[in-house]
Amino acid sequence: MSNLFLFNLSRNHNEDLKTCLELMNNSDSLLLLENGVFWTEKGAMTDDIHKQILHKNLTVFALDEDVQARGITPINAVSVNLIDYSGFVTVVEEHRQTITY
């Protein structure tokens, strides 16, 4: 069973996101929440971040309530699955452990 990484830091924390991705194993999932949803904006993720996500076959989620609260229109080359709080609970239950980064 895979791990779920929660990432809530804004786009000013590029190196933190890179480090988080380096710690992730293939098929782990990343949930962007709070200010972490700013990573879903167009141009937010650099090419090396995209490559890490694709290379490790990571699933990326974003909490829709946080996206809407910040007025963001998620446009990103990496497919981001928007989920609500109910989906958040489901995603947590589907993973072995949750790691807040």
Side-chain angles (χ1 to χ4, degrees):
M1 190 177 249
S2 58
N3 299 311
L4 175 65
F5 284 73
L6 306 180
F7 192 85
N8 65 355
L9 300 175
S10 71
R11 292 173 58 177
N12 295 331
H13 298 272
N14 191 50
E15 292 303 315
D16 292 316
L17 181 56
K18 286 181 182 178
T19 302
C20 177
L21 294 172
E22 289 172 7
L23 296 172
M24 296 176 74
N25 295 314
N26 291 349
S27 300
D28 281 346
S29 298
L30 175 67
L31 173 59
L32 302 169
L33 67 162
E34 301 171 355
N35 285 337
V37 298
F38 284 109
W39 288 99
T40 65
E41 290 183 301
K42 183 177 182 179
M45 292 188 187
T46 60
D47 286 343
D48 53 336
I49 290 174
H50 280 280
K51 287 177 185 174
Q52 279 187 302
I53 290 171
L54 294 174
H55 177 71
K56 291 187 173 184
N57 194 29
L58 304 176
T59 302
V60 181
F61 299 98
L63 192 58
D64 193 36
E65 284 81 354
D66 289 344
V67 169
Q68 291 180 27
R70 286 156 178 82
I72 297 171
T73 302
I75 300 173
N76 204 309
V78 174
S79 178
V80 176
N81 303 292
L82 294 177
I83 58 172
D84 59 13
Y85 282 111
S86 176
F88 184 2
V89 172
T90 300
V91 168
V92 169
E93 291 174 341
E94 292 174 346
H95 291 80
R96 181 172 54 92
Q97 64 180 349
T98 301
I99 302 162
T100 301
Y101 191 88

